[in-house]
Amino acid sequence: MILLVSDTSVLIDLERCGLLPLAFGTGVPMVVPDVLYGRELAPYQGPHYRALGLQVVALTPDEVAFAQAVRNEHRKLSVPDCFALACARRPDHILLSGDGLLRTTAKDKGVTCYGLLWLLDALDESDAGNRAALHTGLAVLAQDPRCRLPRAEVARRLALWQP
């Protein structure tokens, strides 16, 4: 079974666009490392994410050592991001990230990594996919000044998911 390891940015984007329940309703487990949860999610909306189905996992000592090595190599990556990358190295785990450096580092380390648009496409293809909800959510996110998604890709999906 595939498990999705999310960084904080993907979860926050899903919340901003109102698609958290849809994302957690697919039956595909979403996990975060305990360090990421404790530092970035617990004080924000952690209990809400847990209630939706977010799982929190601990890393093994070898995974922690890997995360520390990545952090030493890439000082601009946060400790929680390095822990998410280490977790995503597990068999059948996929990293979800909106952070460009984390995505590049994942590729360099041989870790499968996708972004929010991939997740939205997967939601569209699943039984849980609701094109009207996807359209509305992506339109809301695209208007957010912090949105860094590629405009052409966003426009293509908005046209495809137009109710």
Side-chain angles (χ1 to χ4, degrees):
M1 170 187 275
I2 297 293
L3 280 91
L4 302 176
V5 180
S6 184
D7 73 357
T8 304
S9 69
V10 170
L11 292 170
I12 290 173
D13 282 347
L14 286 168
E15 182 179 347
R16 269 190 206 130
C17 65
L19 294 174
L20 268 175
L22 187 63
F24 281 104
T26 65
V28 177
M30 198 174 304
V31 304
V32 295
D34 54 0
V35 167
L36 186 151
Y37 182 81
R39 289 187 182 187
E40 297 185 347
L41 296 177
Y44 178 64
Q45 288 285 338
H48 176 64
Y49 294 135
R50 296 293 303 266
L52 288 170
L54 181 67
Q55 299 173 29
V56 179
V57 297
L59 269 59
T60 66
D62 287 343
E63 290 169 334
V64 171
F66 175 83
Q68 290 171 331
V70 169
R71 175 80 165 111
N72 289 337
E73 185 180 339
H74 300 283
R75 299 301 294 176
K76 290 185 178 181
L77 286 177
S78 70
V79 170
D81 283 346
C82 294
F83 271 64
L85 177 60
C87 184
R89 293 178 68 218
R90 294 175 179 181
D92 299 325
H93 284 55
I94 294 173
L95 181 63
L96 293 177
S97 177
D99 180 291
L101 180 56
L102 181 55
R103 290 169 63 110
T104 300
T105 304
K107 182 179 178 185
D108 293 345
K109 302 293 182 186
V111 174
T112 302
C113 181
Y114 299 113
L116 179 67
L117 292 176
W118 175 87
L119 180 58
L120 298 182
D121 289 342
L123 291 173
D124 179 41
E125 293 170 7
S126 76
D127 289 338
N130 176 327
R131 285 192 165 183
L134 291 170
H135 182 275
T136 299
L138 186 55
V140 167
L141 189 59
Q143 296 304 313
D144 190 303
R146 296 166 288 192
C147 180
R148 297 183 195 153
L149 297 173
R151 296 285 176 204
E153 290 296 314
V154 168
R156 185 177 68 76
R157 285 166 179 83
L158 288 174
L160 178 66
W161 298 335
Q162 180 70 38

PDB file of all heavy atoms in Angstrom, residues 1 3 87-93:
ATOM      1  N   MET A   1       0.836  -1.184   0.000  1.00  0.00           N
ATOM      2  CA  MET A   1       0.000   0.000   0.000  1.00  0.00           C
ATOM      3  C   MET A   1       0.883   1.251   0.000  1.00  0.00           C
ATOM      4  O   MET A   1       1.858   1.333   0.729  1.00  0.00           O
ATOM      5  CB  MET A   1      -0.905  -0.003   1.240  1.00  0.00           C
ATOM      6  CG  MET A   1      -1.614   1.318   1.431  1.00  0.00           C
ATOM      7  SD  MET A   1      -2.523   1.452   2.967  1.00  0.00           S
ATOM      8  CE  MET A   1      -4.024   0.680   2.470  1.00  0.00           C
ATOM      9  N   LEU A   3       1.903   5.013   0.867  1.00  0.00           N
ATOM     10  CA  LEU A   3       1.681   6.014   1.909  1.00  0.00           C
ATOM     11  C   LEU A   3       2.258   7.333   1.419  1.00  0.00           C
ATOM     12  O   LEU A   3       3.348   7.371   0.839  1.00  0.00           O
ATOM     13  CB  LEU A   3       2.366   5.617   3.220  1.00  0.00           C
ATOM     14  CG  LEU A   3       1.608   4.596   4.056  1.00  0.00           C
ATOM     15  CD1 LEU A   3       2.026   3.193   3.700  1.00  0.00           C
ATOM     16  CD2 LEU A   3       1.842   4.874   5.505  1.00  0.00           C
ATOM     17  N   CYS A  87      11.710   9.892   5.937  1.00  0.00           N
ATOM     18  CA  CYS A  87      10.540   9.019   6.054  1.00  0.00           C
ATOM     19  C   CYS A  87      10.103   8.512   4.683  1.00  0.00           C
ATOM     20  O   CYS A  87       9.722   7.348   4.525  1.00  0.00           O
ATOM     21  CB  CYS A  87       9.415   9.773   6.743  1.00  0.00           C
ATOM     22  SG  CYS A  87       7.940   8.790   7.047  1.00  0.00           S
ATOM     23  N   ALA A  88      10.179   9.380   3.686  1.00  0.00           N
ATOM     24  CA  ALA A  88       9.726   9.025   2.337  1.00  0.00           C
ATOM     25  C   ALA A  88      10.647   8.031   1.643  1.00  0.00           C
ATOM     26  O   ALA A  88      10.287   7.497   0.588  1.00  0.00           O
ATOM     27  CB  ALA A  88       9.575  10.289   1.487  1.00  0.00           C
ATOM     28  N   ARG A  89      11.802   7.749   2.227  1.00  0.00           N
ATOM     29  CA  ARG A  89      12.703   6.737   1.663  1.00  0.00           C
ATOM     30  C   ARG A  89      12.202   5.324   1.921  1.00  0.00           C
ATOM     31  O   ARG A  89      12.696   4.373   1.316  1.00  0.00           O
ATOM     32  CB  ARG A  89      14.101   6.887   2.266  1.00  0.00           C
ATOM     33  CG  ARG A  89      14.797   8.170   1.853  1.00  0.00           C
ATOM     34  CD  ARG A  89      16.152   8.295   2.514  1.00  0.00           C
ATOM     35  NE  ARG A  89      17.073   7.283   2.001  1.00  0.00           N
ATOM     36  CZ  ARG A  89      17.967   6.642   2.752  1.00  0.00           C
ATOM     37  NH1 ARG A  89      18.060   6.870   4.038  1.00  0.00           N
ATOM     38  NH2 ARG A  89      18.777   5.755   2.202  1.00  0.00           N
ATOM     39  N   ARG A  90      11.229   5.194   2.799  1.00  0.00           N
ATOM     40  CA  ARG A  90      10.697   3.865   3.116  1.00  0.00           C
ATOM     41  C   ARG A  90      10.016   3.275   1.880  1.00  0.00           C
ATOM     42  O   ARG A  90       9.479   4.012   1.050  1.00  0.00           O
ATOM     43  CB  ARG A  90       9.674   3.967   4.253  1.00  0.00           C
ATOM     44  CG  ARG A  90      10.282   4.399   5.570  1.00  0.00           C
ATOM     45  CD  ARG A  90       9.229   4.599   6.629  1.00  0.00           C
ATOM     46  NE  ARG A  90       9.834   4.995   7.895  1.00  0.00           N
ATOM     47  CZ  ARG A  90       9.149   5.222   9.004  1.00  0.00           C
ATOM     48  NH1 ARG A  90       7.818   5.105   8.994  1.00  0.00           N
ATOM     49  NH2 ARG A  90       9.765   5.565  10.103  1.00  0.00           N
ATOM     50  N   PRO A  91      10.010   1.940   1.799  1.00  0.00           N
ATOM     51  CA  PRO A  91       9.311   1.314   0.660  1.00  0.00           C
ATOM     52  C   PRO A  91       7.844   1.747   0.618  1.00  0.00           C
ATOM     53  O   PRO A  91       7.194   1.887   1.659  1.00  0.00           O
ATOM     54  CB  PRO A  91       9.425  -0.191   0.961  1.00  0.00           C
ATOM     55  CG  PRO A  91      10.597  -0.314   1.882  1.00  0.00           C
ATOM     56  CD  PRO A  91      10.641   0.968   2.678  1.00  0.00           C
ATOM     57  N   ASP A  92       7.362   1.972  -0.573  1.00  0.00           N
ATOM     58  CA  ASP A  92       5.959   2.329  -0.818  1.00  0.00           C
ATOM     59  C   ASP A  92       5.557   3.670  -0.221  1.00  0.00           C
ATOM     60  O   ASP A  92       4.374   3.918   0.005  1.00  0.00           O
ATOM     61  CB  ASP A  92       5.006   1.227  -0.321  1.00  0.00           C
ATOM     62  CG  ASP A  92       5.238  -0.089  -1.044  1.00  0.00           C
ATOM     63  OD1 ASP A  92       5.562  -0.046  -2.247  1.00  0.00           O
ATOM     64  OD2 ASP A  92       5.126  -1.143  -0.402  1.00  0.00           O
ATOM     65  N   HIS A  93       6.507   4.539   0.040  1.00  0.00           N
ATOM     66  CA  HIS A  93       6.224   5.891   0.527  1.00  0.00           C
ATOM     67  C   HIS A  93       6.550   6.891  -0.581  1.00  0.00           C
ATOM     68  O   HIS A  93       7.529   6.718  -1.313  1.00  0.00           O
ATOM     69  CB  HIS A  93       7.058   6.222   1.764  1.00  0.00           C
ATOM     70  CG  HIS A  93       6.578   5.566   3.022  1.00  0.00           C
ATOM     71  ND1 HIS A  93       6.397   4.211   3.136  1.00  0.00           N
ATOM     72  CD2 HIS A  93       6.249   6.089   4.219  1.00  0.00           C
ATOM     73  CE1 HIS A  93       5.980   3.917   4.349  1.00  0.00           C
ATOM     74  NE2 HIS A  93       5.880   5.040   5.035  1.00  0.00           N
TER      75      HIS A  93
END
